[in-house]
């Protein structure tokens, strides 16, 4: 609930991501994990309680981790629509 699935079109790889990959960052997800803290893409589906996003919306988001995957579940509060 409160999440959307984003089909990832572009993802960034930032310095904190490289530290996480090396196991040297203050927030360290358990291994193995998929890095990528910033993405852009298109909403594929929305979960229960998500009312301001719809499938097909172009968005940018900060999932925290997982952005280098083809699709990622993101909390709706971490997603912003990209203006047309």
């Amino acid at each position: 609930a409160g999440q959307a699935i984003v089909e990832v079109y572009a993802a960034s790889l930032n310095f904190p991501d490289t530290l996480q990959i090396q196991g040297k960052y203050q927030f360290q997800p358990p291994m193995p994990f998929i890095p990528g803290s910033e993405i852009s893409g298109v909403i594929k589906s929305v979960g229960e309680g998500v009312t301001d996003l719809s499938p097909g919306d172009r968005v940018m988001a900060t999932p925290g981790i997982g952005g280098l995957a083809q699709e990622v579940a993101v909390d709706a509060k971490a997603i912003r629509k990209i203006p047309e």
Side-chain angles (χ1 to χ4, degrees):
Q3 293 188 322
I5 302 296
V6 179
E7 182 179 358
V8 178
Y9 284 20
S12 66
L13 189 62
N14 297 306
F15 185 63
D17 297 307
T18 64
L19 291 176
Q20 281 183 328
I21 292 166
Q22 298 174 55
K24 297 179 180 177
Y25 195 59
Q26 61 254 23
F27 166 71
Q28 191 60 47
M31 296 284 191
F33 74 97
I34 299 171
S37 57
E38 299 174 341
I39 64 165
S40 66
V42 173
I43 298 290
K44 184 173 183 180
S45 63
V46 296
E48 184 178 319
V50 179
T51 58
D52 58 339
L53 299 167
S54 301
D57 286 346
R58 295 174 49 230
V59 297
M60 55 187 169
T62 52
I65 61 171
L68 295 181
Q70 293 177 335
E71 297 177 354
V72 63
V74 184
D75 289 338
K77 66 181 184 231
I79 301 173
R80 301 289 178 263
K81 290 183 183 178
I82 297 174
E84 292 297 326

